[in-house]
């Protein structure tokens, strides 16, 4: 009995190492948030007078709009999974999206890549194949970026920084160029060459399961062919593209309206074009990833745009503070709560060796609680 207890004590770290690492990640992210809090507290004190006149109704609307923006982004992932034939519940997809957002916004250096890897791993644990899981994570991000770029051109035109006719031409060039790039990228021969290069690269990455590596890396050509065939059937129809684009646009619109609601809640009278330019500065700061979530740069940039437009300093600073508290700190904390809950409430990642992909009757065997993909 003593030997059994000793063996259990020695193997516990190995059996629970993944959970331990998850909690270390949670603690590191919350530590980063705590590190940012003193600056926010100072900003609250400086903006004390405008905050004392905060309109609760508009503040509540800003919170609802910020959450809606993230939910709509999660819906992009869900629609892509539906297009690929996977049956994953909307609740599961939203939980993954909230946790992904928290990782990207609070984990230094590797937050963006780590968020993508997390989402793919979670989808794989629900039985979604690797190609579809990756496609459903990368494509919504790329589409959202293109939609924001096109919107940014129109905002610049509306602000008078370029003629509107030129803005229309630039936006059309971005849209047509994206469509052309997509056609080339998804052409069977081009896609096959890209995937073949990725397979050759991935087979050299340390830490990949030896048995799995032996299954697919021994014949990179066949593996690239299988992946090409799988991705080739993931082409959205024109109506599906319209739905995806509209959802991405609605997500950005809800996020911008959250900023507008914050300004109204604090009595800041600013033109919508000024707020839109500030919103674009925030998104650029986040994309640069100098610090997770654009911390520091986003606040400075948005405040600079508002002050340059002639906005009073106190309500402008309060607007920046409240908007970032909602969209950065608030959503990040909510995402980490979801992440922590998923550590215990969701099934562990199911690792399936290539040799065990099917049963004798040719049907794929799934672990209990796993949602199959079609």
């Amino acid at each position: 009995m003593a030997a059994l207890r000793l063996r259990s004590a020695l193997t516990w770290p190995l059996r629970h190492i993944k959970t331990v690492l998850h909690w270390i990640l949670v603690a590191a992210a919350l530590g980063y948030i705590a590190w940012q809090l003193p600056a926010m507290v100072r900003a609250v004190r400086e903006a004390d007078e405008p905050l004392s006149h905060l309109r609760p109704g508009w503040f509540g609307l800003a919170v609802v709009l910020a959450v809606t923006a993230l939910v709509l982004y999660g819906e992009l992932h869900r629609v892509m999974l539906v297009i690929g034939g996977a049956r994953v519940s909307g609740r599961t997809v939203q939980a993954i999206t909230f946790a992904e957002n928290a990782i990207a916004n609070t984990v230094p250096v590797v937050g963006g890549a780590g968020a993508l890897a997390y989402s793919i791993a979670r989808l794989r644990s629900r039985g979604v194949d690797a190609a579809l899981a990756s496609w459903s994570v990368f494509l919504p991000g790329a589409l959202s970026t293109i939609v924001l770029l096109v919107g940014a051109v129109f905002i610049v035109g509306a602000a008078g920084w370029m003629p509107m006719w030129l803005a229309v031409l630039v936006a059309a060039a971005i849209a047509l160029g994206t469509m052309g790039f997509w056609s080339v990228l998804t052409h069977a021969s081009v896609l096959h060459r890209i995937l073949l290069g990725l397979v050759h690269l991935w087979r050299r990455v340390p830490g990949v399961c030896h048995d799995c590596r032996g299954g697919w890396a021994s014949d990179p050509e066949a593996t690239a062919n299988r992946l090409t065939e799988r991705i080739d059937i993931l082409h959205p129809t024109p109506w599906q593209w319209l739905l995806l684009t509209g959802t991405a646009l609605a997500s950005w619109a809800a996020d911008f309206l959250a900023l507008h609601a914050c300004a109204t809640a604090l009595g800041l009278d600013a033109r919508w074009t000024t707020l839109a330019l500030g919103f674009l500065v925030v998104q650029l700061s986040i994309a640069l990833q100098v610090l997770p979530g654009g911390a520091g740069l986003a606040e400075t940039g948005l405040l600079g745009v508002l002050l340059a437009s002639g906005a009073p300093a106190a309500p402008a600073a309060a607007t920046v503070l409240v908007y970032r508290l909602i969209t950065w700190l608030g959503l990040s904390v909510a995402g980490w709560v979801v992440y922590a809950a998923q550590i215990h409430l969701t099934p562990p990642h199911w690792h399936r060796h290539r040799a065990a992909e099917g049963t004798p009757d040719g049907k794929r065997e799934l672990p209990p609680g796993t949602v199959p993909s079609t």
Side-chain angles (χ1 to χ4, degrees), residues 72-168:
L72 286 170
Y73 183 67
E75 184 66 8
L76 280 177
H77 294 283
R78 192 193 67 80
V79 172
M80 280 303 303
L81 290 169
V82 171
I83 292 172
R87 296 191 300 272
V88 182
S89 70
R91 180 180 177 182
T92 297
V93 174
Q94 291 299 335
I96 293 173
T97 302
F98 270 73
E100 176 189 349
N101 179 70
I103 295 171
N105 280 339
T106 55
V107 177
V109 184
V110 296
L116 296 177
Y118 167 83
S119 295
I120 294 171
R122 280 296 178 186
L123 291 173
R124 294 284 291 126
S125 73
R126 266 100 182 147
V128 180
D129 63 87
L132 177 56
S134 302
W135 212 236
S136 68
V137 170
F138 284 106
L139 188 57
L143 178 61
S144 292
T145 301
I146 297 302
V147 169
L148 181 62
L149 284 175
V150 173
V153 172
F154 282 112
I155 290 171
V156 169
W161 289 10
M162 74 165 60
M164 185 54 74
W165 64 266
L166 180 58
V168 172

Side-chain angles (χ1 to χ4, degrees), residues 35 43 52 66 103 188 244 256 307 324 326 331 351:
W35 178 55
S52 65
I103 295 171
L244 289 168
F256 166 70
L307 294 179
R324 290 291 286 168
I326 294 172
L331 291 180
H351 184 73

Side-chain angles (χ1 to χ4, degrees), residues 8 65 76 82 94 99 109 111 150 176 182 220 222 226 247-248 252 264 298 328-329 344 350:
S8 297
L65 287 168
L76 280 177
V82 171
Q94 291 299 335
V109 184
V150 173
L176 293 174
W182 171 259
R226 285 195 303 271
T247 303
W252 287 122
T264 304
W328 180 72
L329 182 63
H344 298 291
W350 174 47

Side-chain angles (χ1 to χ4, degrees), residues 21-372:
L21 290 175
H22 279 315
W23 280 112
I24 290 174
L25 184 60
V26 171
L30 293 179
Y32 175 78
I33 292 174
W35 178 55
Q36 292 290 329
L37 276 179
M40 291 189 172
V41 171
R42 287 194 298 271
V44 169
R45 290 173 178 170
E46 293 171 1
D48 180 61
E49 183 180 349
L51 287 174
S52 65
H53 297 91
L54 178 69
R55 302 177 189 175
W58 284 101
F59 175 78
L61 178 60
V63 173
V64 171
L65 287 168
V67 173
T68 299
L70 187 54
V71 169
L72 286 170
Y73 183 67
E75 184 66 8
L76 280 177
H77 294 283
R78 192 193 67 80
V79 172
M80 280 303 303
L81 290 169
V82 171
I83 292 172
R87 296 191 300 272
V88 182
S89 70
R91 180 180 177 182
T92 297
V93 174
Q94 291 299 335
I96 293 173
T97 302
F98 270 73
E100 176 189 349
N101 179 70
I103 295 171
N105 280 339
T106 55
V107 177
V109 184
V110 296
L116 296 177
Y118 167 83
S119 295
I120 294 171
R122 280 296 178 186
L123 291 173
R124 294 284 291 126
S125 73
R126 266 100 182 147
V128 180
D129 63 87
L132 177 56
S134 302
W135 212 236
S136 68
V137 170
F138 284 106
L139 188 57
L143 178 61
S144 292
T145 301
I146 297 302
V147 169
L148 181 62
L149 284 175
V150 173
V153 172
F154 282 112
I155 290 171
V156 169
W161 289 10
M162 74 165 60
M164 185 54 74
W165 64 266
L166 180 58
V168 172
L169 288 180
V170 173
I174 293 174
L176 293 174
T178 301
M179 293 170 61
F181 178 76
W182 171 259
S183 298
V184 173
L185 178 65
T186 55
H187 190 275
S189 60
V190 175
L191 185 60
H192 177 269
R193 284 196 293 270
I194 294 173
L195 291 172
L196 183 60
L198 291 175
V199 171
H200 280 295
L201 177 64
W202 188 252
R203 68 193 296 196
R204 292 173 172 80
V205 174
V208 178
C209 172
H210 178 74
D211 292 334
C212 294
R213 190 198 301 271
W216 54 262
S218 59
D219 191 352
E221 188 73 29
T223 300
N225 285 333
R226 285 195 303 271
L227 291 174
T228 301
E229 292 172 1
R230 180 66 179 101
I231 293 176
D232 192 49
I233 67 174
L234 300 179
H235 285 188
T237 65
W239 284 110
Q240 289 170 335
W241 273 123
L242 184 62
L243 173 62
L244 289 168
T245 304
T247 303
L249 179 60
S251 177
W252 287 122
D255 199 348
F256 166 70
L257 289 175
L259 173 59
H260 200 291
C262 288
T264 304
L266 291 156
L268 178 64
D269 185 17
R271 296 178 57 193
W272 77 267
T273 50
T274 299
L275 292 174
L277 290 171
F279 177 77
L280 293 178
V281 170
V282 170
Q283 301 311 317
L284 177 61
S285 302
I286 295 173
L288 290 175
Q289 284 289 305
V290 176
L291 285 174
L297 281 180
E299 293 82 8
T300 302
L302 177 55
L303 181 60
V305 171
L306 294 177
L307 294 179
S309 70
T319 297
V320 173
L321 172 65
V322 171
Y323 175 67
R324 290 291 286 168
L325 281 174
I326 294 172
T327 59
W328 180 72
L329 182 63
L331 291 180
S332 294
V333 171
W336 282 114
V337 170
V338 173
Y339 182 96
Q342 285 189 323
I343 295 175
H344 298 291
L345 299 181
T346 58
H349 181 74
W350 174 47
H351 184 73
R352 175 171 50 88
H353 294 301
R354 191 169 165 74
E357 282 187 348
T359 58
D361 60 358
K363 294 182 179 180
R364 176 178 165 183
E365 213 172 49
L366 297 174
T370 301
V371 179

Side-chain angles (χ1 to χ4, degrees), residues 2-12:
L4 179 60
R5 290 179 178 176
L6 178 60
R7 185 165 61 250
S8 297
L10 292 174
T11 58
W12 185 92

